[in-house]
Every structure is written in structure tokens, then in C-alpha cells.
Amino acid sequence: MDDAPGGKPWNAFRPDGVIIFSDILTPLPAFGVEFDIEDVRGPVIQSPIRSEEGLKALHPIDLEKLSFVGDSLKILRKEVGGDAAVLGFVGAPWTIATYIVEGGTTRTYTTIKSMCHTAPHLLRTLLSHLAQAIADYVVFQVESGAHCIQIFDSWGGQLPPDMWECWSKPYIKEIVDLVKKRCPETPIVLYINGNGGLLERMKDTGVDVIGLDWTVDMADGRRRLGSGIGVQGNVDPAYLFSPLPALTEEIQRVVRCAGPRRHILNLGHGVLVGTPEEAVAHFFEVARSLKFDTLFQNKSAEDPRLVA
């Protein structure tokens, strides 16, 4: 559940995990990429990086410029005490690079996709720089109080699977390897929009949990990933606009399909604008009411804990 001023969602719903919503572009100025937010266009980068000259603007991440993120994590960690996990939040190198190369949001990704073929060395240099900067940012968040980190490769699903294997996966794996060396006890979650064609490849990054969006059948996702890795999700956020009995049935179905171990119950994406608050409350009520013995009567479990 995203945190808000005054900790309103935390106080209202008391989830098992809280995350400070921070735009994935937040760290960009700290390593040399300035951007503006415009009402219609959204994020706009006035000097997109498309040449060797553009790379000269980059520098190692200056974490002092992100002190407000660290302060927010410390405040949230203190507020929730030992009652919830505090989650950190970063974008994956490919996803961040789409903004830096395209100059903002895009529907087609043609500039960066063509760069894979026309200027591969340039793009790899950019992605490597982003991987190091994001890894440092992750460690900073952990040292500021985050118990767990979620990596969002929001636009990784825009790549064909073989392209994702070449242009996104290695840099996510680089982050995971760096973080595991410095913060070996910190679990890492990886989420990609439209990840149905990437699940097995995502597993190879070394993350601890894979977030499934609502377009993946949870039973199919669990079958493909196996029981040795955590899964997160994946109730369709639109279900929170449905009659509450339908929402109840869907929550129960998702939990049953995920199996008796290593499942973090969540939506398959963020809460949609206009979602009724009573539906969010109902989501948590149903999650807390689930009875393990009833749901998994015929399944033995080494660790029979369901996390909402």
C-alpha cells in the first residue's frame, strides 16, 4: 500500500507491508539527468542522451541529493515499528533508459529500440551506468530503513523476450548481484508490466520474488516458476470496482492458485484512481480472514504463512 502524507493508508488498513510512492525518475538529477514534469506530457527530459557527448553529463550518484528519500524511509520505519515491512522502490535500468533516450514517455520506444542496433555500445554504457547508480540507491534505501526492495521494469514488457534477455536482464542481474553482496539479507522483488512472456527469464535474475500482473493466470505463473521462488500478486485492480462478493471470490482464487508457500497477496498493479475505499478495506479484511487449513486441506506446507 502506498504511503501518503500522515500515513493515512497505513493507519486505515494496517497492511503487512508499506511502500513510499516515489517516482522511478526521482534519482535522475542525482546522477546528472535533469527533468521536468509537465501537466499533459508528464516527465520531460530536455537533453536526452543519444550520443557519446550526452554520456558526459552522467556522474556517480550523489546520495546527498536524495536525503529526503532516506528521511522519509526513516520516518515511515519509525511509524510502523515492528508491525509492517517497509519497502523500497527503484526503476530498472532499461525502463529508466527509455525516458532518458526518448526524452520522456513514449508509446512506441522506437528511438531506444533502434539504438540497440545503431549504437549498441552507447546504450550499453548508459545501462551499465544506470545499473551501478540504482544499486547504490538501493543500498542507500536499505541503510535508511527499507526491509525489502521492489525493482520495477515497467516498460520491460515492451521488448520481445530475446531483446529483454539482452538489454534488460543483464543490468537487473547486475543490480541484484551488487545488492546481495552488500545487503545479503534484503529480499528483492521484480515486477514487469506485461510479464507473461518473461517469467522464466525473470527468475534467472536472482531475485527472491516475482510480481505477476493481472494478465497472468496465477496458477500458470506458479507452475512455470516452481515453488522455490516467491510470487506476488495478482488480483486485477479493477476487481475493487466490482461487487464485494466477486472481489472475495477472486482473492480466494488467487491465493489457492499461488499455493501454500511463498506468496505475497497483492494487486496485479497499483490501486486505480477512483477506487472505492471500502473495497480496499474489504481486500484486507478478506486477506486476514483466510483460513490456511480450509484453502489448502490436501497440501502440506513447510511454512504455512500467507502474507497480505
Side-chain angles (χ1 to χ4, degrees), residues 218-219 233-235 239 244-260 263 265-266 282-283 285-292 294-296 299 306:
M218 178 58 81
N234 70 336
V235 175
Y239 259 98
L244 297 185
L247 175 58
T248 300
E249 290 179 9
E250 178 63 4
I251 293 169
Q252 293 171 341
R253 185 194 70 80
V254 167
V255 172
R256 280 195 300 270
C257 289
H263 175 219
L265 176 62
N266 202 348
H282 184 74
F283 184 98
E285 289 166 7
V286 173
R288 293 191 180 97
S289 72
L290 296 175
K291 303 297 182 184
F292 183 86
T294 303
L295 284 167
F296 304 107
K299 295 183 180 180
L306 299 176

Side-chain angles (χ1 to χ4, degrees), residues 41-249:
R41 295 175 61 193
V44 175
I45 294 170
Q46 299 294 349
S47 301
I49 295 177
R50 299 171 184 169
S51 66
E52 296 286 346
E53 187 66 26
L55 289 174
K56 294 178 182 178
L58 299 176
H59 55 73
I61 192 166
D62 181 358
L63 295 170
E64 289 188 7
K65 291 185 177 179
L66 297 166
S67 59
F68 62 95
V69 175
D71 293 342
S72 298
L73 285 165
K74 290 170 186 172
I75 291 168
L76 184 58
R77 177 75 178 259
K78 184 178 180 181
E79 183 171 347
V80 303
D83 296 328
V86 173
L87 283 69
F89 179 106
V90 296
W94 168 264
T95 287
I96 293 177
T98 66
Y99 292 94
I100 294 175
V101 171
E102 299 281 351
T105 56
T106 175
R107 292 179 182 270
T108 60
Y109 305 90
T110 50
T111 304
I112 190 168
K113 284 185 176 183
S114 64
M115 190 182 285
C116 295
H117 308 288
T118 60
H121 175 71
L122 173 66
L123 186 54
R124 289 197 184 281
T125 302
L126 173 60
L127 291 167
S128 293
H129 186 92
L130 293 174
Q132 181 62 61
I134 294 165
D136 290 342
Y137 186 37
V138 167
V139 173
F140 169 72
Q141 291 189 43
V142 172
E143 291 175 345
S144 298
H147 295 102
C148 172
I149 295 293
Q150 294 204 54
I151 300 174
F152 287 80
D153 195 6
S154 303
W155 310 129
Q158 298 294 323
L159 286 168
D162 65 319
M163 291 284 282
W164 186 85
E165 186 89 26
C166 293
W167 294 101
S168 186
K169 177 181 166 182
Y171 305 98
I172 294 173
K173 191 174 189 307
E174 185 177 340
I175 293 170
V176 172
D177 290 346
L178 288 168
V179 172
K180 290 293 184 184
K181 285 179 183 175
R182 297 169 66 181
C183 310
E185 302 301 315
T186 302
I188 301 175
V189 183
L190 175 60
Y191 176 85
I192 302 176
N193 280 342
N195 61 6
L198 299 171
L199 296 185
E200 293 84 357
R201 289 173 165 88
M202 291 171 71
K203 187 177 179 181
D204 291 341
T205 60
V207 296
D208 304 284
V209 179
I210 291 175
L212 303 181
D213 75 9
W214 71 95
T215 66
V216 178
D217 182 81
M218 178 58 81
D220 183 52
R222 174 55 88 191
R223 179 185 59 78
R224 289 167 60 189
L225 292 168
S227 60
I229 190 169
V231 292
Q232 178 173 291
N234 70 336
V235 175
D236 183 348
Y239 259 98
L240 275 71
F241 291 84
S242 301
L244 297 185
L247 175 58
T248 300
E249 290 179 9

